[in-house]
Amino acid sequence: MKNCTNSLRVLTLAMLATVFFSCGNKQAKQAEELQAGSKEQAFQEVTTYPIPTSFEVIQMINKAGASFIIGICNPVDNVGKYMTEKAKAVNLGIYGADLAYSTTYQMKQETMNFLKVCKQLVEELNINAGFTPELALNVEKNIDNKDSLIVIFTNSYYETYRTLVQNQKESLSLLVVAGSWIEGVYITSQIALTSRDNTEFIKILANQKAPLAKLMELMTPRADVPEVKELMDMLAPIQAIYNKVEGEKLTNDQFQKLMEEITKVRNALV
């Protein structure tokens, strides 16, 4: 009887140990999954394009009824004069906005031209993502489908940005983002200048206050990088104008000053 009781105790302990071990494994697995999920979420937050893309800005312009202005973009012939890493990165952003502009307005030849220079700059910056041979094939297949092209190019820009961040080239990624933002605002300001009724375009410009603030916030921790600091100094007068903007309106004086400053900065970079 005693042996039977002892055996029962051993069996019970074994069963309890199995249960606890199983629960422990399950909890450990859940903890690992939670930790992995947190890491993945943090990674996604870090590598997500931080402000509205130039495609989003250009689409707003298009919906507001703006016509395509020939000659407003950075000439593709300029690509050969960008020798420094900073110039290449900033103008990759600028050409990216021009690509968004030409794509949205279905300017096929301009789209192919801007795609070509973007690809060239990506290669010169050794970014092994974004503007790939597969992208070129997709563009050719969808050249008549504006919506598909916008998705293709937007995803390409996301991938380029993500790759730069993953490869610890955050400074370069910010230069690309800044270039794209600058060109988007420049194009919008030029359209607002030439439009009879520029109410909607002024609203689009006013709404760029938050993206610029976010961009400057992201650049601040890297202000010790000369190229980033130089660009921050160039953008500072523009931010000073935006700091006085309230809501979705710009006064005539604010618009004139913004247009002058963004044109000066943009022309200095291209």
Side-chain angles (χ1 to χ4, degrees):
M1 185 69 177
K2 190 179 287 185
N3 288 339
C4 184
T5 302
N6 287 339
S7 297
L8 185 60
R9 286 176 180 171
V10 171
L11 181 60
T12 302
L13 288 171
M15 290 175 65
L16 286 172
T18 301
V19 170
F20 285 132
F21 182 74
S22 176
C23 289
N25 276 350
K26 187 176 181 181
Q27 289 173 344
K29 187 176 181 181
Q30 288 175 339
E32 286 177 7
E33 289 175 353
L34 185 62
Q35 187 177 19
S38 298
K39 287 181 179 178
E40 178 63 22
Q41 183 180 356
F43 174 77
Q44 290 296 334
E45 288 175 357
V46 170
T47 59
T48 297
Y49 202 84
I51 63 175
T53 66
S54 51
F55 273 97
E56 293 173 75
V57 176
I58 298 300
Q59 281 183 298
M60 286 189 282
I61 294 170
N62 187 30
K63 287 178 181 177
S67 300
F68 186 85
I69 301 177
I70 296 173
I72 197 175
C73 299
N74 185 16
V76 292
D77 291 341
N78 281 349
V79 71
K81 73 178 188 180
Y82 304 131
M83 298 299 171
T84 66
E85 199 172 56
K86 176 201 169 187
K88 293 177 194 294
V90 170
N91 281 282
L92 173 58
I94 289 173
Y95 279 132
D98 294 334
L99 178 61
Y101 188 44
S102 60
T103 301
T104 301
Y105 283 86
Q106 295 182 287
M107 307 297 287
K108 296 179 185 178
Q109 188 56 56
E110 285 81 358
T111 295
M112 297 307 295
N113 290 342
F114 288 126
L115 174 62
K116 183 178 179 181
V117 293
C118 283
K119 183 175 181 295
Q120 179 179 332
L121 290 174
V122 162
E123 290 174 351
E124 291 177 4
L125 288 166
N126 295 315
I127 305 171
N128 299 316
F131 293 84
T132 61
E134 290 77 14
L135 174 71
L137 290 174
N138 280 336
V139 171
E140 288 179 12
K141 289 178 183 177
N142 294 278
I143 194 65
D144 294 315
N145 189 328
K146 180 182 75 172
D147 293 336
S148 293
L149 285 180
I150 289 173
V151 171
I152 290 168
F153 288 135
T154 300
N155 288 339
S156 176
Y157 244 77
Y158 287 156
E159 184 60 29
T160 300
Y161 178 81
R162 189 180 299 114
T163 299
L164 285 170
V165 174
Q166 281 180 286
N167 292 322
Q168 298 182 332
K169 293 183 177 180
E170 290 90 347
S171 296
L172 270 186
S173 70
L174 291 172
L175 295 179
V176 175
V177 173
S180 183
W181 183 86
I182 289 166
E183 186 75 345
V185 174
Y186 170 75
I187 290 172
T188 308
S189 68
Q190 292 300 305
I191 291 171
L193 178 66
T194 57
S195 299
R196 289 183 180 178
D197 180 5
N198 64 6
T199 306
E200 287 301 312
F201 307 118
I202 292 295
K203 186 186 295 184
I204 293 169
L205 286 172
N207 284 328
Q208 292 305 302
K209 177 179 179 177
L212 176 59
K214 180 65 176 178
L215 178 60
M216 295 292 272
E217 177 190 328
L218 291 170
M219 295 173 84
T220 299
R222 293 176 177 80
D224 58 328
V225 179
E227 294 82 2
V228 174
K229 180 64 166 62
E230 183 181 358
L231 197 54
M232 288 182 71
D233 290 343
M234 294 175 77
L235 290 171
I238 298 173
Q239 188 173 38
I241 296 168
Y242 269 118
N243 286 341
K244 297 177 182 178
V245 172
E246 297 180 1
E248 295 185 326
K249 293 182 179 180
L250 294 173
T251 65
N252 288 334
D253 183 56
Q254 287 171 338
F255 171 62
Q256 289 297 326
K257 287 180 178 177
L258 175 61
M259 188 181 63
E260 289 171 9
E261 286 296 333
I262 198 70
T263 300
K264 182 168 68 176
V265 170
R266 187 262 191 182
N267 289 345
L269 294 170
V270 301

